[in-house]
């Protein structure tokens, strides 16, 4: 059963990134069709929702067994593997929202395009939240395991209610959720030490790169 669980988790992430690639790449394809695009997106959404429900149910079963080791492994797997997808979808959300609104204001200035400006404005308000919703779905599996881990920490490690609320809030913030998760697993469960070192190295390199680019 453990092997099947990991196969489903890997397939879950595979479907997620395939869906994102489809969303980004198909509109630029010569075989692009709006009807096909919408239909396949609905199909991807249904498949991914089914996989997501499976992971939520699995998280509940792990919590019921109080299997902290499997909970931590699944938690770290989903948090690390889904973070690039979540950040990409949030970036697309901002580009579509701000780009659509900005374009609509530009079109308002030109008399020839005055009447189509409201269309782009409305389109950005309709399409952008879809990407925000998909980004939420992308992080929901990891969040489910995070909630289970927080409750297990309260039961087995004696956490206070305030601690649980604080860590729950951090788990909603992309990027901070991984740092918070590593703090939980290393500090209280003595797991994920190698991942914490790798994360620290990437953070240091990332900050160095940002400072170098600004200078």
């Amino acid at each position: 059963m453990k092997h099947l669980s990991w196969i489903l988790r890997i397939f879950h992430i595979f479907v997620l990134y395939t869906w994102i690639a489809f969303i980004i790449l198909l509109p630029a394809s010569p075989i692009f069709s709006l009807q096909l695009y919408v239909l396949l997106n609905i199909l991807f959404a249904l498949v991914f929702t089914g996989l997501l429900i499976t992971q939520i149910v699995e998280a509940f079963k792990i919590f019921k067994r109080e299997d902290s080791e499997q909970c931590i492994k699944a938690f770290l797997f989903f948090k690390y593997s889904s973070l690039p997808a979540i950040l990409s979808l949030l970036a697309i959300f901002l580009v579509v929202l701000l780009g659509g609104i900005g374009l609509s204001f530009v079109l308002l200035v030109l008399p020839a395009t005055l009447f189509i400006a409201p269309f782009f404005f409305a389109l950005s308000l309709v399409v952008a939240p879809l990407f925000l919703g998909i980004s939420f779905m992308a992080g929901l599996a990891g969040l489910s395991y995070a909630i289970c881990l927080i409750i297990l920490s309260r039961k087995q490690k004696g956490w206070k209610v305030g601690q649980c609320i604080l860590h729950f809030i951090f788990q909603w913030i992309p990027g901070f959720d991984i740092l918070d998760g590593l703090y939980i697993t290393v500090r209280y469960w003595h797991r994920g030490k190698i991942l914490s070192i790798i994360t620290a190295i990437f953070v240091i390199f990332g900050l160095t790169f940002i400072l170098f680019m600004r200078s």
Side-chain angles (χ1 to χ4, degrees):
M1 286 298 294
K2 290 183 179 180
H3 293 297
L4 178 60
S5 296
W6 278 105
I7 290 172
L8 288 175
R9 289 166 191 165
I10 294 170
F11 186 62
H12 178 105
I13 295 300
F14 172 78
V15 171
L16 173 62
Y17 281 97
T18 304
W19 189 9
I20 295 173
F22 168 80
I23 290 172
I24 297 173
L25 299 178
L26 189 64
S29 172
I31 61 170
F32 174 77
S33 167
L34 182 60
Q35 293 83 356
L36 180 64
Y37 188 69
V38 172
L39 181 62
L40 289 178
N41 268 297
I42 293 174
L43 180 61
F44 268 113
L46 291 174
V47 172
F48 188 76
T49 300
L51 293 169
L52 181 58
I53 292 172
T54 301
Q55 290 305 317
I56 294 173
V57 172
E58 179 67 17
F60 176 76
K61 290 179 179 178
I62 289 175
F63 168 73
K64 194 174 180 180
R65 296 196 307 265
E66 297 191 7
D67 189 346
S68 59
E69 183 177 352
Q70 286 301 314
C71 186
I72 290 170
K73 287 180 179 179
F75 163 73
L76 292 175
F77 171 77
F78 278 111
K79 284 296 182 179
Y80 272 87
S81 60
S82 63
L83 181 61
I86 295 170
L87 295 179
S88 299
L89 289 165
L90 288 176
I92 296 173
F93 160 73
L94 291 175
V95 168
V96 172
L97 180 64
L98 299 179
I101 293 174
L103 180 61
S104 64
F105 279 110
V106 172
L107 295 175
L108 281 172
V109 178
L110 305 173
T113 56
L114 179 64
F115 295 102
I116 63 172
F119 169 76
F120 280 96
F121 183 79
L123 187 65
S124 65
L125 295 181
V126 172
V127 174
L130 294 177
F131 291 104
L132 188 62
I134 298 173
S135 70
F136 173 75
M137 291 177 64
L140 197 53
L143 182 62
S144 300
Y145 286 103
I147 293 172
C148 292
L149 183 59
I150 289 170
I151 299 175
L152 285 175
S153 297
R154 174 164 171 76
K155 293 179 66 176
Q156 299 182 14
K157 301 298 179 179
W159 281 14
K160 304 296 183 182
V161 175
Q163 281 181 282
C164 296
I165 294 174
L166 183 62
H167 287 295
F168 178 75
I169 293 172
F170 281 140
Q171 287 304 310
W172 282 86
I173 307 174
F176 284 96
D177 58 343
I178 286 181
L179 297 177
D180 178 66
L182 285 174
Y183 175 79
I184 294 171
T185 54
V186 174
R187 171 69 176 79
Y188 296 98
W189 296 96
H190 308 292
R191 301 282 196 279
K193 292 183 179 179
I194 296 177
L195 283 174
S196 65
I197 294 172
I198 294 173
T199 303
I201 292 172
F202 274 100
V203 169
I204 292 170
F205 272 107
L207 292 174
T208 304
F209 177 76
I210 292 171
L211 293 174
F212 176 78
M213 291 298 293
R214 291 187 65 179
S215 61

